[in-house]
Structure formats: C-alpha cells, structure tokens
Amino acid sequence: NVKWPQIEKNEAILAKCRKQYDLVACEPTSEDSFRKVCSSVDCDIISLDLTQRIPFRLNPKQMLAAVERGAVFEISYAKLLLDNCTMRRNVFSNSRSICRALRGKGIIISSGTSKALDLRSPADIVNMATFFDLKLSDGKVRTGSIRLDWFAS
C-alpha cells in the first residue's frame, strides 16, 4: 500500500512495487493526489483512511474514471469492530459516500485485519454492505464471483 502525500516522489516507488507485486494499492491523502491516482496512476486498489473525515470532496466522475481503468475502491471493515464510536461513525459515513459516488460499482470490501478472529463470513459482509447502501442482491453476486486470477502468483 503506497501512501500518496507527494505525487512526484511516489511514482518511482510505484514502479518498483509494480515489478515485485501483482496487486498494488494506493492511499491518496490529499485532493491533488486523489485526482492523480484516479486519473492516471497505474494501481489496482485505491484505499482511503475511512476512520477519519476525508479531507477532500469525493468526485464521482474521477472515481468512475478510475473504475473504468480497472481500479477498485477498498472498504476495510476492521475498524468497525473497535470500540470507538467516532471512528465507527466515520467508517460508515465515508463508506456510504464511496458507494453512492460509485453507484455500487468497483468496490471491494476487505477485512484489513491481521487477526483471524476479526475475519467475518461472506454472509456477515453482505449484511454489512447493506449499511454502506449497497444492494443485498449485488452483495451476494460479488461474494460468489471472486476473481481468482487476481490471486494467482
């Protein structure tokens, strides 16, 4: 996961990561870096820190352009399991904003955890997705159609 506070420095890092890894995730931290990641950066997953208020406006046109290029936006549910109401509220609010902007397309829901006990079943994730304003039927389709070619080494 490459954080993007300064665009120019990270493009060289991204090129190195592209050679070593099959999947590369970028985490833009400013509006300029978000615009750049959505428009032209070659990454597979765009991840945002959903535990804090996003410091810029999510532009649906930019986000849909990234999805059309083959990128997906990641929603990580691990922070929802913590006992911090503000953090949990921010994750739900930001996740809803992402889902509305993308109209339910180009979204992956990941655990974002390193502990096995924090993993949830596909049915739990589909249920959680309804709180992000994703349709239940779409969620069932997504859990059944995991692209295994992404995970092949």
Side-chain angles (χ1 to χ4, degrees):
N1 198 7
V2 180
K3 290 198 179 206
W4 283 78
Q6 296 173 330
I7 298 167
E8 297 79 22
K9 292 181 181 178
N10 287 320
E11 290 196 66
I13 295 171
L14 185 63
K16 290 179 185 176
C17 290
R18 203 26 102 189
K19 291 177 184 175
Q20 294 179 343
Y21 301 103
D22 293 329
L23 292 175
V24 176
C26 293
E27 186 175 331
T29 57
S30 68
E31 188 168 7
D32 289 337
S33 62
F34 180 74
R35 190 177 317 115
K36 178 79 171 180
V37 166
C38 286
S39 65
S40 62
V41 172
D42 183 27
C43 68
D44 302 301
I45 301 170
I46 300 171
S47 182
L48 298 169
D49 182 6
L50 302 178
T51 61
Q52 300 176 10
R53 191 169 182 271
I54 297 175
F56 49 87
R57 186 172 107 44
L58 296 175
N59 186 328
K61 288 183 181 180
Q62 292 173 347
M63 295 172 73
L64 288 170
V67 170
E68 287 176 12
R69 283 190 7 257
V72 293
F73 284 80
E74 177 184 33
I75 295 175
S76 178
Y77 66 79
K79 302 297 183 186
L80 292 173
L81 305 175
L82 300 176
D83 194 27
N84 184 327
C85 292
T86 304
M87 194 179 295
R88 194 176 313 142
R89 180 177 50 237
N90 286 338
V91 171
F92 275 118
S93 176
N94 292 331
S95 298
R96 271 192 222 111
S97 296
I98 290 170
C99 293
R100 286 180 186 149
L102 291 171
R103 299 180 199 116
K105 300 174 186 171
I107 298 168
I108 58 170
I109 299 175
S110 67
S111 66
T113 183
S114 58
K115 295 187 268 183
L117 290 175
D118 288 342
L119 295 174
R120 297 294 178 246
S121 71
D124 288 343
I125 295 168
V126 169
N127 196 18
M128 198 179 309
T130 61
F131 292 112
F132 303 148
D133 288 343
L134 291 174
K135 293 178 186 173
L136 185 63
S137 60
D138 290 345
K140 285 183 180 176
V141 169
R142 287 186 185 110
T143 58
S145 62
I146 297 173
R147 292 186 52 185
L148 295 177
D149 58 322
W150 271 26
F151 301 102
S153 35

